[in-house]
Amino acid sequence: QITLKESGPTLVKPTQTLTLTCTFSGFSLNTKGVGVGWIRQPPGQALEWLGTIYWDDDKRYRPSLKSRLTITKDTSKNQVVLIMTNMDPVDTATYFCAYRRRLDIVWRPFDYWGQGTLVTVSS
Amino acid sequence: DIVMTQSPDSLAVSLGERATINCKSSQSLLYGSNNQSYLAWYQQKPGQPPKLLIYWASARESGVPDRLSGSGSGTDFTLTISSLQAEDVAVYYCHQYFDALPTFGRGTKLEIK
């Protein structure tokens, strides 16, 4: 059974750096064709993809946020970490991590999601 | 970015009636190697993460009731709930995973009339 869970601070101040951890079970990020992504959702708004890290350490980021984002993985701990610098109140959102996999040569969408963690940016 | 335009923004349907949600992408999501469109539908209830319902535009995820179906190809897609049940009240999002920058629609809020 695949599960993911986000953890980290619920409140950060403007200009601070946010570090969120996604701890997962039921799969390994050493397995070919697997990826973990981060998606956020401001209160009452739509979903916004932030970035994805793949089994081969390939990383893809949202271009508009690329300079502020870093995603890393620790396969020994079954964790993926999201770092977002220079936080602003507009970054207030629920942050989700999610799993996706490749079947043969085609990718499935994110099919397992964590419950999400609400991060508020305020002084 | 591929822009996903959903309509309507909200929808109220009587129990047992049909609900239809539309999604249009700003460019084709058809992947040539398998002739599938990289379009998914998610359902999100308050306080919960999105739940995958449909992928490749029309493939139903395991466990999803068959009253929910997806159709369309290329740039125009539809999610249909053939007979609305109370548990279908939620916000529905379309999502393209064709591009290196995945994007989501703005959501359609489905309520009971």
Side-chain angles (χ1 to χ4, degrees):
Chain A
Q1 181 188 2
I2 290 174
T3 65
L4 304 98
K5 186 174 182 179
E6 308 84 355
S7 60
T10 58
L11 179 66
V12 297
K13 291 180 167 49
T15 75
Q16 286 188 337
T17 295
L18 171 69
T19 300
L20 293 177
T21 300
C22 175
T23 303
F24 57 84
S25 63
F27 67 94
S28 170
L29 252 181
N30 281 326
T31 302
K32 190 175 181 180
V34 169
V36 172
W38 287 94
I39 302 99
R40 70 179 179 180
Q41 185 173 38
Q45 296 186 41
L47 299 156
E48 179 181 64
W49 172 79
L50 300 177
T52 303
I53 188 165
Y54 293 94
W55 83 100
D56 58 357
D57 210 36
D58 184 27
K59 301 162 193 176
R60 304 297 173 100
Y61 297 107
R62 186 173 197 83
S64 60
L65 295 172
K66 188 174 183 180
S67 64
R68 298 174 54 205
L69 292 175
T70 303
I71 299 175
T72 62
K73 61 181 172 73
D74 186 333
T75 54
S76 67
K77 293 182 180 178
N78 279 352
Q79 291 180 334
V80 169
V81 174
L82 172 75
I83 299 170
M84 182 179 288
T85 61
N86 194 24
M87 293 292 283
D88 183 272
V90 300
D91 297 312
T92 294
T94 296
Y95 287 75
F96 298 97
C97 61
Y99 161 89
R100 69 181 307 208
R101 61 194 160 106
R102 190 175 67 190
L103 297 178
D104 296 324
I105 62 168
V106 293
W107 282 91
R108 282 172 54 89
F110 295 109
D111 51 7
Y112 291 91
W113 294 60
Q115 283 296 310
T117 185
L118 176 61
V119 177
T120 301
V121 184
S122 175
S123 55
Chain B
D1 302 8
I2 297 178
V3 178
M4 306 301 291
T5 304
Q6 278 185 244
S7 61
D9 294 335
S10 64
L11 182 61
V13 174
S14 300
L15 289 172
E17 295 300 305
R18 177 184 298 262
T20 301
I21 300 170
N22 300 300
C23 178
K24 187 175 183 67
S25 60
S26 60
Q27 65 186 71
S28 177
L29 306 181
L30 192 63
Y31 186 54
S33 68
N34 66 348
N35 205 33
Q36 300 282 355
S37 293
Y38 275 42
L39 186 283
W41 289 96
Y42 290 92
Q43 176 192 68
Q44 188 178 32
K45 297 181 179 181
Q48 295 185 18
K51 174 187 175 184
L52 179 64
L53 302 174
I54 303 287
Y55 59 97
W56 295 337
S58 61
R60 196 179 293 111
E61 182 73 343
S62 176
V64 172
D66 59 9
R67 66 178 183 275
L68 280 78
S69 63
S71 62
S73 179
T75 61
D76 292 276
F77 305 92
T78 301
L79 175 70
T80 301
I81 303 175
S82 60
S83 175
L84 187 72
Q85 304 300 304
E87 60 264 33
D88 299 329
V89 169
V91 178
Y92 292 83
Y93 293 96
C94 61
H95 165 59
Q96 66 81 14
Y97 52 107
F98 177 87
D99 192 58
L101 198 172
T103 50
F104 295 83
R106 295 179 61 85
T108 295
K109 187 175 184 179
L110 178 58
E111 300 173 310
I112 295 174
K113 185 187 294 182

